[in-house]
């Protein structure tokens, strides 16, 4: 079949460009466009250039479902995600979608309101029914993690979970290293009694960050006061701050996320205790607003785009039949701002 055919023509206003539109504009066959877009066959350099120029001019975007039918392999990934507006789970989902999109994959998301085994199983079954190439399970909660034990065989699965007990490969930000960095930063400023506002029970991140705080203090001969238990919300951080005001010698706090740190800052301000003059505060996550808190918040940054790329890469390797490590880690980064500035 000849590569050259047809004449220029495009879709009408408001219509999405089709493969046929690209073929007509580039004056080649639809088969040639498919070869260039999917990378499935040899095409002369000059012809490839014309096709790519037409793709750019028309804003053509391949349909992942159609590409899967053409190649015999789905180019859609499934993601089971907790239905949450919390920064961590939502940003993890965004990072995975971004990585998939960059590689020409579509993403089908099945949200679960509760992290139970039945709900996760139903979501996995729904995605399998769509013929996805593989599935990512975002499992920040221990109950979601336990559901991984009952996943059906025959479908590639990667979990985003900070656990070493999962029966499938996992990818995670190193929560313990991040918690250690936060605590040791406060230790380096001369504090040996550091308070901790933890997340809710049952979350992998809660357990890892709290344990890192305890371990860092123990390693440096410091004191671990009673944990102030939060639920990730600013309100719970505010309530923890009210409790902290009952301890006038408290001078350093590691909050397990930035939202709770925000509530803490409000409570301390209302109680007449300045930050960082009287109390130094470190958060976790580096939400976009953290640099604009009053004062700007020292925190631990999680690179969710890197997490998404690593997760997508691991799942794609599984889909291709390759071996992958049981655990892949993305490092966290301490971002120092004014909430841990010099004491008065």
């Amino acid at each position: 079949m000849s590569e050259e055919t047809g004449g220029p023509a495009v879709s009408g206003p408001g219509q999405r460009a089709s493969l046929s539109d690209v073929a007509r504009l580039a004056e080649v066959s639809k088969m040639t466009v498919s070869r260039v877009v999917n990378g499935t066959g040899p095409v002369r350099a000059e012809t490839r250039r014309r096709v790519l120029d037409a793709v750019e001019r028309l804003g053509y975007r391949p349909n992942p479902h159609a590409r899967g039918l053409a190649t015999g392999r789905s180019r859609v990934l499934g993601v089971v995600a907790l239905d949450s507006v919390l920064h961590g789970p939502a940003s993890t989902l965004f990072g995975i979608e971004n990585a998939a999109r960059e590689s020409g994959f579509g993403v089908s998301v099945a949200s679960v309101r509760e992290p139970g085994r039945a709900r996760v199983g139903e979501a996995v079954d729904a995605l399998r029914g769509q013929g996805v190439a593989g599935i990512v399970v975002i499992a920040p909660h221990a109950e979601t993690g336990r559901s991984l034990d009952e996943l059906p065989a025959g479908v590639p699965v990667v979990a985003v979970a900070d656990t070493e007990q999962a029966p499938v490969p996992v990818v995670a930000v190193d929560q313990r290293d991040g918690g250690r960095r936060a605590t040791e930063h406060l230790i380096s400023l001369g504090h040996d009694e550091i308070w901790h506002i933890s997340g809710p029970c049952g979350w992998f991140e809660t357990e890892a960050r709290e344990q890192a705080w305890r371990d860092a203090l123990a390693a440096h001969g410091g004191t671990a006061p009673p944990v102030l238990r939060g639920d990730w919300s600013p309100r719970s951080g505010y309530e923890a701050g009210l409790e902290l005001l009952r301890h006038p010698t408290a001078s350093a706090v590691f909050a397990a996320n930035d939202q709770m740190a925000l509530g803490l800052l409000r409570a301390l301000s209302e109680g007449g205790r300045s930050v960082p003059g009287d109390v130094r505060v470190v958060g976790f996550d580096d939400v976009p607003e953290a640099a604009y808190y009053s004062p700007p918040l020292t925190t631990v940054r999680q690179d969710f785009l890197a997490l998404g790329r690593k997760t997508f890469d691991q799942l794609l390797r599984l889909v291709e039949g390759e071996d992958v490590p049981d655990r892949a880690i993305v490092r966290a980064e301490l971002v120092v701002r004014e909430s841990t500035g010099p004491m008065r």
Side-chain angles (χ1 to χ4, degrees):
M1 178 182 293
S2 170
E3 290 182 350
E4 312 295 337
T5 186
V10 296
S11 297
Q15 295 181 356
R16 178 174 178 173
S18 67
L19 185 142
S20 296
D21 294 329
V22 176
R24 283 191 291 269
L25 185 58
E27 300 185 356
V28 299
S29 69
K30 290 190 292 184
M31 178 66 73
T32 297
V33 175
S34 178
R35 287 173 179 168
V36 172
V37 171
N38 295 313
T40 55
V43 179
R44 292 200 302 267
E46 173 61 21
T47 303
R48 180 182 299 277
R49 182 189 63 76
R50 292 212 316 273
V51 170
L52 294 176
D53 285 346
V55 166
E56 183 174 358
R57 285 179 59 187
L58 295 174
Y60 171 70
R61 294 294 181 269
N63 184 314
H65 296 277
R67 290 176 67 176
L69 292 173
T71 61
R73 175 180 296 165
S74 171
R75 293 186 67 84
V76 178
L77 302 180
V79 179
V80 178
L82 191 63
D83 186 10
S84 172
V85 296
L86 290 172
H87 180 73
S91 297
T92 299
L93 176 58
F94 172 78
I96 294 168
E97 290 179 314
N98 184 75
R101 184 170 58 251
E102 288 178 348
S103 297
F105 276 74
V107 174
S108 180
V109 180
S111 297
V112 294
R113 289 187 175 276
E114 301 173 1
R117 299 187 184 191
R119 297 294 185 220
V120 173
E122 291 170 2
V124 169
D125 288 342
L127 292 171
R128 292 182 72 201
Q130 297 175 28
V132 298
I135 296 174
V136 176
V137 179
I138 300 176
H141 197 280
E143 187 63 29
T144 310
R146 284 189 284 271
S147 69
L148 299 173
D149 293 327
E150 301 178 4
L151 292 178
V155 58
V157 175
V158 170
V160 181
D162 190 22
T163 176
E164 298 179 357
Q165 308 301 321
V168 300
V170 299
V171 182
V173 174
D174 193 336
Q175 304 293 329
R176 289 207 177 196
D177 183 59
R180 176 188 62 79
R181 288 167 182 259
T183 307
E184 289 185 347
H185 174 62
L186 291 169
I187 292 172
S188 73
L189 297 174
H191 300 280
D192 57 8
E193 180 181 290
I194 298 169
W195 290 73
H196 181 55
I197 304 176
S198 79
C201 295
W203 288 69
F204 291 128
E205 288 87 350
T206 294
E207 297 170 3
R209 295 170 195 176
E210 181 178 330
Q211 191 60 52
W213 163 73
R214 293 185 184 281
D215 291 346
L217 280 173
H220 291 82
T223 302
V227 171
L228 302 174
R229 186 73 59 188
D231 63 8
W232 303 130
S233 71
R235 177 191 54 77
S236 68
Y238 177 81
E239 291 174 352
L242 296 179
E243 173 63 28
L244 198 71
L245 289 172
R246 301 177 184 175
H247 303 272
T249 62
S251 61
V253 184
F254 165 34
N257 80 335
D258 292 349
Q259 295 296 315
M260 293 190 299
L262 175 61
L264 169 66
L265 293 176
R266 174 65 181 270
L268 292 174
S269 177
E270 290 181 355
R273 307 198 68 191
S274 68
V275 177
D278 298 313
V279 183
R280 287 167 168 161
V281 177
V282 178
F284 204 109
D285 280 340
D286 195 25
V287 299
E289 301 83 6
Y292 302 96
Y293 285 4
S294 182
L297 183 67
T298 293
T299 184
V300 177
R301 175 181 297 157
Q302 302 191 75
D303 189 340
F304 291 106
L305 290 179
L307 180 66
R309 286 192 293 270
K310 178 72 74 174
T311 303
F312 174 79
D313 178 68
Q314 295 295 87
L315 183 58
L316 193 58
R317 289 173 61 187
L318 280 181
V319 170
E320 298 289 344
E322 299 180 23
D323 292 330
V324 300
D326 292 337
R327 184 175 170 85
I329 295 299
V330 175
R331 294 290 300 278
E333 175 189 2
L334 180 70
V335 180
V336 179
R337 299 193 180 102
E338 294 173 26
S339 68
T340 54
M343 280 190 174
R344 290 183 306 195

